[in-house]
Amino acid sequence: MARPRKTARAKATESTEVAVRDASDVSTARPIVERAPADPALIARARSTPLTRDGIAELARESESALEAALAETLDRRDIKAATALALALAAADRTLDPALVSRLVPDVDQRDLVPSLLRACGDSPQARLDVMRQALERGQLSHDREAIVAFVASQLLGDAPWPAPWPGLLRTLARQRLGTEAGVLLGTVIQRAADSHLTAVGQEWVDLAGRSNAEEISKFWLEGWTQPVLEILPETEPPRVVAGYTVRKAQERPGRNDPCHCGSGKKYKKCHATQDDAQDRVADQPLVDAARVSATDVDGMRIQEVLALPFERLARPALVTAIRQLRAYHRWEDAERALDVLAAMPKEGDGSDVEHQREDLIEEALRMRCLDVLDRQLAKVKDREALQSRVRAGIACARPSDSTVAVLDEQARRGLHGDADAIADVAYALLDHAPALGILVARGALDPEHVEASDTMLDEIELARDRLELPPGDAYGPLYDEWVEGRKAESARSEAEAAEMTRVRAELERAESEVDARQAQVVALEHEIRELRERLDRSMSAVQREHAGMPHDAVAAAYRTAEEHRQRLARKVEEMKSLLAEGNAERASLRERVAELEAARTAASRSDSDSAEIALGPADDGGSSDEATMPVRIPVFDPRAIESLRELQPKTSRQAVSIAGRLASGDRAAWRDVKRMQGMEGVWTARVGIHHRLIFTVDEDQLDVRDVVTREALLTTLERYR
């Protein structure tokens, strides 16, 4: 089962600038004190040593200085197999491990059950051990499950002592993540022991999980790794392991059988390490896989240790993009930069925007974590540096405070107040990252019920900032914002009801006017018929009197009465029709008054919301205007370009894009408020996705076609394809 991936902003655990800088130094720095040169033969031997009781005990007989030199060398080379064996050998010999070396090894050690033993061996000082554990969490290079293991070990070290800063905030942030069952039990145990009401409120589900029957057994297993000597927890024989997904090894050329061995022993290769290398090539859990055939899905399911072993130069483009995203999420800066350089050197596909997208994401994450050396290196490689800098200017101003910092933030906020909602969000995020207390206040003002997804993200960031400040969870503006949103929903529902009422009244008015017109025509026709009948009757009576002058008077009178009765019936019918006509005119007048009232109310509501509507629609560079008409239900279809873009985005952004497409296709009127029709491009629309992305789509009667998901900076360039 694939490990849940970290989102770009899911690891906001830094406490102070110094703490983060120190943590970053531990993760990237090379030893600055001179050490004895490492013995190649010892490194080769460590690489082939099984992680068993006898194997590590044999290796532990080497001198401490030789083991330490070899450990540092293997970590520099990222030979994790050899480094793990060397570190365990030092621990088995009751020798203290350099905390800096342990901090570099813990994220990459292949077997996570060895983590407690390695942490236990890094110094006799409880504070030194606790600092290593804190740095391991702050650096963001561990999976969430490993972070729970580190937290559990730290709780054993502290015992009943109160948790020092910034641990409560780190634990609260961890409690908000998705964890496996074992990790959840360990974290639940930690929360119970911490007896912190705020931490318990955030991590109640893990406390409940720790209350189950197998929790004690799980805790006991990991407690043994912390309390028992290394040799007692190592197995007698190395057990077979099942590895999910691909484990890709780089093909390495071997010496000829009669050539000197690569270990430096001076022996021929066939009489030294040939047999061990043959055995290594047959290890079941490390098949040699053609890296060019590894897919993005395969990389997505790999552990970070497997991603680090990938030969980036041989990966296909989608797999390489996924690897960069994984490396960035785990803050493996050097590897992410190297992989990005490989991507940039590849032949372009399409407009080549995937390189710049990945570079921008790396810049933003490095800025958030205050890795300013990474920021500077990547900014120097950006094509449109000015455009990107305008987006990250607030973050740079906060990360490198100066006399102009306030002016930069004020200028950014001014742009936001003039309609660029993204500029307001940029200021809020920059302050949340670098000045969390002030950031909470600004982020509250950036909440907007017209942009629910972006505001939900902002509320999540506010909670993370409260964790770091050790404030009670549950910001006061959360319920207020919910009420605001519900009020807007109620207002939208009322508006829709009024629109429906307007449609119904207009239909009634059209029906009434049609009936009135028909009755008027009937009255006119009847009156015309009566006049003709009366004239015909008069002529007929005159003719009868002339032709039948001798007829009895009664017969003539009877004929006249018959005609007169017919005329009177017609006259009565005319009166009835005139009465109906008057009723119809009255109904029509009433309906016209109702239409006028509805239109006046709608106009007044439109005027009162005009300012907020302008802000909700965002900057004018998107073009077009929102169409709030009732939309039919359509089927959402994603073009291949859109699918590729979604794969390259952070999971949270991808989920937002898919959700927004579904709501638009369903005819959700509220979702269409954020939509803009592109001027000069028939049928092309855009919708906001979070803070920095736009969804481009077209519609017809039955289908909503999602064409692409791009950054707002790339929007205008991308739209040129649709002109």
Side-chain angles (χ1 to χ4, degrees), residues 627 631-632 634-635 661 664-665 672 675 677 682-685 696-707:
D627 183 359
M631 306 299 293
R634 298 180 173 90
I635 304 301
L664 293 172
W672 279 86
V675 165
R677 182 189 289 120
E682 184 66 27
V684 179
W685 305 71
I696 302 174
F697 66 97
T698 58
V699 294
D700 56 28
E701 292 183 0
D702 303 315
Q703 183 170 302
L704 186 145
D705 191 354
V706 179
R707 297 299 186 87

Side-chain angles (χ1 to χ4, degrees), residues 41-51 59 67 70 74 81-83 85-86:
L42 179 57
I43 293 176
R45 179 183 163 195
R47 188 181 302 116
S48 60
T49 296
L51 303 183
L59 191 62
L67 290 171
T74 52
K81 175 79 165 57
L86 291 164

Side-chain angles (χ1 to χ4, degrees), residues 438-459:
L438 185 58
I440 290 174
L441 300 180
V442 175
R444 287 171 172 175
L447 299 175
D448 184 353
E450 297 293 340
H451 304 103
V452 177
E453 290 83 3
S455 295
D456 286 343
T457 301
M458 190 71 71
L459 284 169

Side-chain angles (χ1 to χ4, degrees), residues 1 65 91 159 168 178 246 272 274 313 360 398 411 423 614 628 638 645 673 693 722:
M1 181 176 181
S65 59
R178 294 173 57 188
Y246 287 90
C272 192
E313 296 80 3
E360 290 172 11
C398 291
E411 187 274 334
E614 288 177 1
E628 296 187 1
F638 291 81
S645 297
R673 286 187 173 182
H693 293 83
Y722 302 101

Side-chain angles (χ1 to χ4, degrees), residues 368-416:
R368 186 181 71 81
M369 294 299 292
R370 293 193 184 91
C371 292
L372 303 184
D373 55 340
V374 179
L375 171 73
D376 292 337
R377 287 196 297 270
Q378 294 305 312
L379 275 177
K381 298 179 181 180
V382 173
K383 293 181 179 178
D384 190 357
R385 181 168 180 175
E386 182 60 31
L388 179 62
Q389 278 189 318
S390 68
R391 192 168 116 194
V392 298
R393 186 173 290 123
I396 294 175
C398 291
R400 288 179 168 142
S402 66
D403 294 341
S404 63
T405 296
V406 174
V408 170
L409 297 179
D410 183 70
E411 187 274 334
Q412 193 96 334
R414 284 173 182 268
R415 289 199 294 112

